[in-house]
């Protein structure tokens, strides 16, 4: 963190999260208030993260933003909502504390640069990490210390869950002003060290229906979604929190799969219907159920967001064999040596019994690659000035 009288720069990182009880549907589009609570697992930033630098300076004449090296329109309503909200909180803090040590004014303009360490288009919830990182970085430069759920949420609902590590609940809240719609940690990242996450990247294409529009249509047309939000999710949240606290993988895995399936059922119940899964997604579902049936227990669980990629949860003792089962059913096309990225996965051979139980015709190339990761911590501040994506002039550092 560098601070002078009229200039301050901070660089932060923030994680991706994957919901095991899904958020789908808003009761307030402007404030981004959900129709049900949700629960997610924060993924480790060693594999997936957003890095954001925010610089404020008396010398800047306008707010500006660069995403993955390209200057973007700072006027986008959701970015504007985050900026407005952080400046409001900064002013509130100043007026409430006369001995305010912060020399910089909330009205100073900000330059922001943000990069992902993974392909944005891979459909890996980049907006959640992006807006959590934006909220966190802005809070540092403007000296905001209050809860940042509201700031991140105004960018993207699911982003408020990326403000914490481990297992995170987004409580839907009841108030119309959204003050009680906040994220809270249910258990820290150290709570379940055996838990592993495999992201099976099926397609890097951009999706047909974005989450924002998709959930809007679902709220308008799906009776199943209404039932889900009012009846199913409240009971499921309580069950899921219990399973997490008790490190109960059977319960956690089954609820995770059922909730993913119900979310996709509400998408089909939407009119016109939305389908995010493709044939490969459905084959992965089949593979997981066959694998579990072979062992007579839930050893592996899947979940899918608004796209065809699968996120698999399992325990460390099952990773090698399940990855071997994936390779057997979806043989890598040309990148055999780079098929598994992230945490190291040792090679394993499959028994003939298991191969027979999987009973699938191999389909080469339909899974592009796997990212092996685990549960991780929340946003971090990078102290080293070299980490800044913007130079002292507030412009992107040229990459040599
Ligand atoms: C399927 O948070 O992307 O990933 O609030 O409109 O930005 P907006 O939607 P977004 O929706 C995420 C939907 C989901 C489920 C989840 O993450 O809970």
């Amino acid at each position: 963190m560098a601070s002078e009288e009229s200039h301050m720069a901070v660089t932060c990182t923030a994680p991706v999260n994957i919901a095991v009880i899904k958020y789908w549907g808003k009761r307030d589009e402007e404030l981004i208030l959900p129709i049900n609570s949700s629960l997610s697992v924060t993924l480790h930033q060693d594999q997936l993260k957003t890095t954001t630098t925010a610089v404020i300076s008396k010398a800047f004449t306008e707010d500006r933003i660069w995403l993955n090296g390209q200057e973007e329109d700072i006027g986008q309503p959701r970015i504007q909502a985050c900026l407005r909200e952080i400046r409001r909180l900064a002013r509130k803090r100043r007026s409430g504390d006369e001995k305010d040590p912060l020399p910089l004014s909330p009205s100073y303009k900000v330059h922001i640069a943000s990069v992902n360490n993974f392909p944005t288009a891979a459909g890996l919830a980049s907006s959640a990490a992006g807006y959590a990182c934006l909220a966190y970085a802005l809070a540092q430069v403007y000296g905001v210390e209050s809860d940042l759920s509201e700031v991140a949420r105004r960018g993207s609902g699911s982003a408020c869950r990326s403000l914490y590590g481990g297992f995170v609940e987004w409580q839907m809240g009841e108030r119309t002003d959204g003050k009680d719609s906040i994220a809270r940690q249910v258990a820290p990242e150290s709570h379940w060290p055996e838990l592993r996450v495999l992201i099976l990247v099926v397609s890097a294409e951009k999706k047909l229906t974005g989450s924002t529009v998709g959930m809007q249509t679902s709220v308008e047309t799906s009776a199943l979604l209404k039932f889900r939000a009012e009846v199913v999710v409240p009971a499921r949240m309580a069950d899921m929190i219990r399973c997490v606290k008790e490190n109960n993988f059977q319960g956690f895995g089954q609820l995770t799969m059922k909730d993913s399936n119900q979310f996709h059922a509400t998408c089909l119940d939407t009119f016109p219907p939305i389908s995010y899964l493709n044939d490969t997604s459905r084959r992965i579902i089949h593979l997981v159920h066959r694998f579990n049936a072979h062992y007579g227990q839930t050893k592996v669980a899947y979940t899918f967001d608004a796209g065809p990629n699968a996120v698999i949860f399992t325990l460390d003792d099952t990773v090698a064999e399940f990855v071997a089962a994936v390779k057997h059913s979806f043989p890598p096309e040309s990148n055999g040596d780079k098929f598994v990225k992230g945490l190291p996965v040792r090679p394993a051979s499959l028994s003939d019994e298991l191969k027979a139980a999987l009973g699938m015709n191999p389909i080469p190339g339909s899974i592009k690659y796997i990212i092996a990761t685990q549960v991780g911590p929340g946003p971090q501040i990078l102290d080293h000035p070299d980490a800044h994506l913007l130079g002292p002039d507030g412009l992107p550092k040229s990459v040599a």
Side-chain angles (χ1 to χ4, degrees):
M1 214 180 288
S3 173
E4 297 157 18
E5 256 194 24
S6 60
H7 178 275
M8 179 160 177
V10 174
T11 298
C12 304
T13 65
V16 166
N17 74 76
I18 177 80
V20 290
I21 301 290
K22 305 291 185 193
Y23 148 55
W24 195 252
K26 298 181 184 69
R27 63 180 199 277
D28 185 317
E29 293 282 336
E30 173 66 23
L31 296 176
I32 308 202
L33 301 177
I35 58 170
N36 61 255
S37 296
S38 55
L39 196 137
S40 61
V41 177
T42 297
L43 305 188
H44 206 289
Q45 295 175 54
D46 281 354
Q47 281 72 45
L48 302 166
K49 70 174 173 214
T50 296
T51 303
T52 300
T53 297
V55 185
I56 59 172
S57 168
K58 204 176 177 177
F60 295 164
T61 53
E62 54 180 352
D63 295 329
R64 294 177 73 181
I65 190 164
W66 290 263
L67 301 180
N68 293 311
Q70 283 285 106
E71 181 153 21
E72 301 279 340
D73 177 14
I74 191 88
Q76 288 174 47
R78 287 181 171 205
I79 298 176
Q80 284 298 314
C82 293
L83 283 171
R84 242 190 344 263
E85 197 53 34
I86 205 83
R87 286 182 171 131
R88 188 183 64 76
L89 292 171
R91 285 198 184 92
K92 192 166 143 198
R93 179 169 170 210
R94 292 200 135 209
S95 60
D97 180 2
E98 284 181 17
K99 292 190 294 294
D100 194 335
L102 299 164
L104 302 187
S105 161
S107 59
Y108 281 10
K109 300 296 181 197
V110 65
H111 285 196
I112 300 155
S114 193
V115 293
N116 294 330
N117 69 345
F118 56 94
T120 307
L124 298 174
S126 59
S127 69
Y131 280 108
C133 209
L134 178 67
Y136 204 79
L138 290 175
Q140 306 302 317
V141 287
Y142 286 112
V144 170
E145 287 173 346
S146 48
D147 183 81
L148 297 175
S149 292
E150 180 158 13
V151 185
R153 200 189 70 218
R154 296 295 291 271
S156 189
S158 55
C160 68
R161 298 186 313 234
S162 276
L163 291 170
Y164 300 95
F167 302 81
V168 183
E169 169 189 22
W170 174 13
Q171 299 172 335
M172 63 175 288
E174 287 170 0
R175 293 173 52 149
T176 48
D177 65 4
K179 294 283 178 246
D180 56 353
S181 188
I182 51 170
R184 145 194 113 89
Q185 189 178 63
V186 167
E189 57 272 24
S190 56
H191 168 72
W192 203 345
E194 302 83 18
L195 194 66
R196 291 291 177 275
V197 183
L198 301 168
I199 302 167
L200 311 189
V201 178
V202 167
S203 153
E205 280 166 36
K206 227 173 142 37
K207 53 194 168 203
L208 282 177
T209 315
S211 311
T212 305
V213 171
M215 67 175 80
Q216 207 171 344
T217 319
S218 297
V219 169
E220 284 160 12
T221 61
S222 171
L224 177 57
L225 181 62
K226 191 169 153 54
F227 175 73
R228 163 179 167 74
E230 286 171 5
V231 180
V232 180
V233 173
R236 249 179 212 175
M237 282 294 290
D239 285 352
M240 187 60 105
I241 290 173
R242 197 175 326 114
C243 290
V244 167
K245 291 203 161 145
E246 293 172 355
N247 299 42
N248 170 1
F249 189 80
Q250 297 284 310
F252 172 84
Q254 282 174 31
L255 272 175
T256 295
M257 292 187 280
K258 286 181 179 175
D259 204 70
S260 172
N261 294 340
Q262 187 174 73
F263 155 52
H264 291 281
T266 67
C267 289
L268 269 193
D269 190 47
T270 298
F271 197 80
I274 305 166
S275 52
Y276 289 121
L277 306 181
N278 66 17
D279 283 350
T280 306
S281 319
R282 282 183 284 273
R283 278 177 207 278
I284 294 168
I285 291 173
H286 191 72
L287 173 73
V288 167
H289 285 290
R290 288 270 176 112
F291 189 94
N292 289 338
H294 175 73
Y295 284 105
Q297 54 172 304
T298 301
K299 283 172 78 83
V300 184
Y302 53 78
T303 186
F304 296 82
D305 281 340
N309 296 330
V311 177
I312 301 289
F313 290 98
T314 190
L315 298 177
D316 57 355
D317 61 2
T318 306
V319 169
E321 195 179 36
F322 185 73
V323 167
V326 171
K327 281 186 176 167
H328 171 75
S329 308
F330 308 93
E333 211 152 46
S334 54
N335 58 345
D337 53 332
K338 296 206 188 79
F339 189 64
V340 183
K341 304 170 196 283
L343 294 178
V345 175
R346 63 182 169 77
S349 54
L350 299 179
S351 68
D352 290 338
E353 292 78 21
L354 180 54
K355 275 188 203 158
L358 299 179
M360 291 170 65
N361 290 332
I363 310 204
S366 53
I367 292 181
K368 306 262 178 294
Y369 57 92
I370 299 178
I371 303 170
T373 185
Q374 59 192 334
V375 187
Q380 313 277 317
I381 297 171
L382 301 182
D383 271 326
H384 205 280
D386 282 355
H388 294 328
L389 303 171
L390 297 169
D393 57 355
L395 297 175
K397 288 182 184 168
S398 53
V399 265

